[in-house]
Amino acid sequence: MTDEAGHPGLIPPLAACNDAACEACLAYHRPQAGALGKRLQPNPVQVARLSQRPAAPSEADGSKPWRREIVLPEREGILALPHPMTEPIIQCTDVHKWFDHFHALRGVNMQVEKGEVVVIFGPSGSGKSTFIRTINRLEEHQQGTIVIDGIELTHDVRNIAVIRSEIGMVFQSFNLFPHLTVQQNVSLAPIWVRKWPKDKADEIARQLLERVGIPEQAEKYPAQLSGGQQQRVAIARALAMQPKIMLFDEPTSALDPEMIKEVLDVMTGLARSGMTMLVITHEMGFARAVADRMFFFDEGVVVESGSPSDIFDRPKEERTKLFLSQILSH
């Protein structure tokens, strides 16, 4: 029995729906060790949450209409897992960062699950960019722990190299190589870092340029493109390394207003595909439509966090209310 999207309702042990976003099926039905010959008894009903993100929510109460709950009933011989299936893909605990005597990050805590979209916002100088730059070690944190997909960021350069290879980052400025074509910009890192053959890297580059909506620009140089097109090339370049996590540091802040939408559309498509994303942005419409959670930073601390409906409709902290009143009034 399946739901309207083809995901299993009543699933026999070890069956899967062959949907890449439905890893829960196997996890919830994986046999667990027990005494030899002893029949395992099912645990209480568990709920698997599957994501399918559209461009914008359609429910007035702010809840995510793409959240579908599939109830896995108790059945003989099937065990539901009593704990979360996996550890968070990003786990930051009591993170501190100093620039000489300036205390930029003051004990930041954050956990991000695989496939989650987190929006970070706040005033200039609040530590937003510094924080996400610590996640791939572009900035070194001096206190606390940062664990990325089970690997702790330390001074071990081998761990740093592994983590960086799994994280893509898009900056405010495009940082494209001006002497290389668009396709060469996208295929360069896979050839040199992943050691892919040129033919494979070029094919992946063409597919990604198609994905971000500019396949016809492949043979042009960055100077021949608009700002929005250059930022889409930067996104394609980051995706070419097939990262597990994408970091966006105000990717639309340097763009003309008419170019912002084309970049946000690409980012929305990424979110719908299940990519884990940390996004620094003041595009509140994008945040309300796409984010799973939002974190408000000020003076190096997380002042408040919650779902978009919590942040926009029921903010708790006066500082959050003041900031939102200033940016939403224009």
Side-chain angles (χ1 to χ4, degrees):
M1 180 181 299
T2 61
D3 71 354
E4 70 279 6
H7 294 90
L10 297 178
I11 314 171
L14 294 179
C17 67
N18 296 320
D19 185 341
C22 195
E23 297 173 356
C25 295
L26 280 177
Y28 272 91
H29 292 78
R30 186 175 292 119
Q32 300 183 5
L36 185 62
K38 181 180 179 181
R39 191 168 189 84
L40 299 176
Q41 296 300 316
N43 282 346
V45 172
Q46 300 287 323
V47 175
R49 292 187 179 273
L50 305 174
S51 295
Q52 181 182 353
R53 296 180 174 93
S58 60
E59 296 180 5
D61 62 0
S63 62
K64 303 296 185 187
W66 56 78
R67 292 297 192 195
R68 294 194 311 278
E69 293 189 353
I70 298 176
V71 178
L72 304 180
E74 297 185 31
R75 297 184 61 198
E76 187 176 9
I78 298 177
L79 274 183
L81 299 182
H83 302 294
M85 293 178 291
T86 59
E87 294 182 355
I89 194 168
I90 300 173
Q91 187 160 354
C92 303
T93 306
D94 193 31
V95 174
H96 291 257
K97 169 70 180 176
W98 286 265
F99 292 101
D100 294 327
H101 298 293
F102 177 66
H103 200 173
L105 297 177
R106 303 168 179 262
V108 174
N109 295 284
M110 183 183 295
Q111 290 188 355
V112 180
E113 303 295 331
K114 183 178 180 181
E116 192 173 18
V117 179
V118 170
V119 164
I120 299 171
F121 70 110
S124 298
S126 60
K128 308 182 301 294
S129 294
T130 299
F131 173 68
I132 70 165
R133 289 169 68 90
T134 64
I135 291 176
N136 61 357
R137 201 66 165 189
L138 293 179
E139 295 289 353
E140 179 184 349
H141 65 289
Q142 284 97 17
Q143 184 177 319
T145 60
I146 299 176
V147 180
I148 308 297
D149 200 22
I151 301 174
E152 183 175 357
L153 263 177
T154 63
H155 293 292
D156 190 329
V157 294
R158 294 169 298 181
N159 285 358
I160 295 172
V162 170
I163 288 172
R164 283 179 175 169
S165 70
E166 302 296 345
I167 297 177
M169 188 163 184
V170 178
F171 301 88
Q172 298 179 31
S173 55
F174 320 124
N175 296 322
L176 301 176
F177 292 109
H179 62 291
L180 299 180
T181 66
V182 164
Q183 180 162 310
Q184 290 170 338
N185 265 278
V186 176
S187 63
L188 185 66
I191 291 173
W192 285 93
V193 179
R194 297 288 192 197
K195 308 300 182 185
W196 287 358
K198 185 177 183 301
D199 289 347
K200 177 181 178 180
D202 285 343
E203 177 60 27
I204 294 297
R206 285 190 289 269
Q207 293 175 10
L208 288 171
L209 290 174
E210 178 76 36
R211 184 175 180 180
V212 300
I214 49 172
E216 73 284 354
Q217 310 294 341
E219 299 305 321
K220 292 184 179 180
Y221 289 88
Q224 297 174 285
L225 306 182
S226 69
Q229 290 171 333
Q230 289 188 60
Q231 193 64 293
R232 284 188 278 172
V233 174
I235 294 173
R237 180 181 60 182
L239 292 173
M241 289 291 288
Q242 299 183 341
K244 296 180 179 178
I245 300 165
M246 284 288 289
L247 308 177
F248 294 86
D249 187 358
E250 298 195 54
T252 61
S253 63
L255 300 179
D256 293 335
E258 62 184 6
M259 298 178 183
I260 291 175
K261 182 180 182 299
E262 60 191 46
V263 174
L264 293 180
D265 286 345
V266 172
M267 294 170 61
T268 300
L270 273 181
R272 292 181 63 183
S273 74
M275 174 66 72
T276 304
M277 297 167 58
L278 266 69
V279 183
I280 297 176
T281 185
H282 291 145
E283 299 294 336
M284 294 294 100
F286 169 84
R288 185 186 287 271
V290 176
D292 293 301
R293 284 186 299 148
M294 299 177 65
F295 285 74
F296 176 56
F297 274 55
D298 191 29
E299 297 184 348
V301 301
V302 176
V303 176
E304 186 170 354
S305 64
S307 68
S309 59
D310 291 334
I311 295 296
F312 288 114
D313 302 331
R314 298 177 294 276
K316 298 176 182 177
E317 302 297 330
E318 290 302 320
R319 183 67 183 93
T320 311
K321 295 176 183 178
L322 176 62
F323 183 80
L324 288 173
S325 69
Q326 293 172 337
I327 65 172
L328 295 178
S329 62
H330 300 287

